[in-house]
Amino acid sequence: AYSDSTPSNNATRRLASTDPVLPEGFCNAEYFGNASVGSTSIVVPVDTAMLNFTHFLVYIRSSLTEQTTPAAHLIFDASSSVSGINFNDEDLDLLDIGGDADWTPPVYSERVVSYWLYLAADALGSDRLSLGSEVAVGTNKRHIPPDTLPLHRSHLSVYTRSSLAEQTTPVIHLIHNEAASVSAITFNDLDLDVAEIGGTVFWTPPAIIDKVTSYHLYLAETTSGAGRSLVASGVPANITEQDILPETSPAGFKYLLVYTRSSLAEQTTPVFVAVSDTVSTVSNISFV
């Protein structure tokens, strides 16, 4: 409602829910604010609820009274959200994600200046974590680096931003975390010399290998790959064994590690088997 305490000689804005048919047409009109003489604008705060209002009404007030015939402006409620978010996780580790996220731009994008991406804990966009700087309009893709750790965040959210503010209702995409590791690694050392190994490494491929491009094998000091040394790389995804050349020196390495690799990156959490150097020599040789 309008208050007589409004300063005189001001222009007063009201919101109205119908086209004004003066004077009865101002049903549900609500006082919004005022501007001093000389001003030709008023700030509408971000996230102002329209409720059922459809127009801005601008009245001029003199020292005597407020006019009864305002100017009316139909409100255009700009709505610009992306759609069709797609994200294929190309990081093959269980707890990490990585790959390209893309989306379809808004149908109405005239007032969109950028996009912002976040990881979120739920479909409401809660507890969000930024995935880098803004994405310019015209670029409908964001690269998410491998080894990105979402922790408890299970959704990807995309917000549009205007020159005024970022939207508060994003579009959400549920993340499917791809994990692809080998299992059941076996290795029997058939090189019988001390401090030398040789033989064939066998493994069971991941249950789903559509994103696996190759396997990489290393000798390492620890199960996590510390001090690792490459044994074989680029083993095709449909192969489940690799020969280790005889007379290969374990050089203090205790484990043989197998990593899967996608088109994005090599996984950081390998599967391992302990290396046991088999030694077999005769003794008590005699010659008469």
Side-chain angles (χ1 to χ4, degrees):
Y2 175 72
S3 170
D4 286 338
S5 62
T6 303
S8 62
N9 299 317
N10 283 0
T12 301
R13 274 75 168 176
R14 288 186 180 181
L15 290 171
S17 60
T18 63
D19 286 322
V21 179
L22 300 178
E24 294 82 3
F26 301 118
C27 65
N28 294 328
E30 180 178 301
Y31 175 68
F32 182 76
N34 65 82
S36 300
V37 173
S39 298
T40 58
S41 65
I42 191 169
V43 174
V44 179
V46 175
D47 300 331
T48 295
M50 282 190 62
L51 302 177
N52 63 334
F53 297 114
T54 58
H55 291 73
F56 275 112
L57 303 180
V58 181
Y59 294 77
I60 299 175
R61 182 177 176 84
S62 70
S63 58
L64 175 65
T65 188
E66 179 183 276
Q67 70 178 157
T68 57
T69 308
H73 173 76
L74 178 64
I75 298 172
F76 171 65
D77 183 14
S79 177
S80 297
S81 294
V82 304
S83 60
I85 300 175
N86 180 60
F87 172 66
N88 289 317
D89 180 21
E90 297 283 348
D91 187 305
L92 303 182
D93 291 303
L94 179 60
L95 300 179
D96 299 332
I97 62 171
D100 290 332
D102 59 73
W103 57 87
T104 300
V107 174
Y108 176 78
S109 60
E110 179 182 348
R111 299 178 186 177
V112 177
V113 298
S114 61
Y115 305 104
W116 289 82
L117 276 71
Y118 300 86
L119 292 173
D122 53 36
L124 299 177
S126 304
D127 192 21
R128 67 185 194 178
L129 175 68
S130 177
L131 287 172
S133 59
E134 66 181 14
V135 178
V137 171
T139 303
N140 303 309
K141 179 184 292 187
R142 159 72 77 188
H143 178 69
I144 299 175
D147 303 327
T148 295
L149 187 63
L151 298 176
H152 58 283
R153 298 176 180 88
S154 55
H155 291 72
L156 180 67
S157 57
V158 181
Y159 294 73
T160 54
R161 184 178 180 87
S162 70
S163 59
L164 175 65
E166 180 182 277
Q167 69 177 159
T168 55
T169 307
V171 178
I172 301 290
H173 175 77
L174 178 65
I175 296 171
H176 177 61
N177 188 354
E178 294 284 351
S181 295
V182 303
S183 59
I185 302 176
T186 60
F187 172 69
N188 291 318
D189 178 23
L190 299 181
D191 186 310
L192 304 182
D193 292 305
V194 64
E196 292 180 356
I197 61 173
T200 303
V201 184
F202 298 92
W203 61 86
T204 299
I208 300 176
I209 65 169
D210 60 321
K211 293 184 179 179
V212 177
T213 58
S214 61
Y215 304 105
H216 290 200
L217 283 71
Y218 298 84
L219 287 168
E221 299 170 1
T222 67
T223 58
S224 61
R228 69 183 190 177
S229 176
L230 183 65
V231 173
S233 64
V235 180
N238 62 335
I239 302 298
T240 58
E241 61 184 69
Q242 175 64 40
D243 289 334
I244 305 297
L245 296 176
E247 301 180 3
T248 295
S249 172
F253 296 123
K254 298 179 180 179
Y255 300 95
L256 184 63
L257 282 55
V258 180
Y259 293 76
T260 55
R261 183 178 179 85
S262 70
S263 58
L264 175 66
E266 179 183 278
Q267 69 176 164
T268 56
T269 308
V271 178
F272 62 90
V273 64
V275 174
S276 177
D277 183 9
T278 302
V279 178
S280 182
T281 61
V282 299
S283 59
N284 297 323
I285 299 175
S286 63
F287 175 72
V288 178

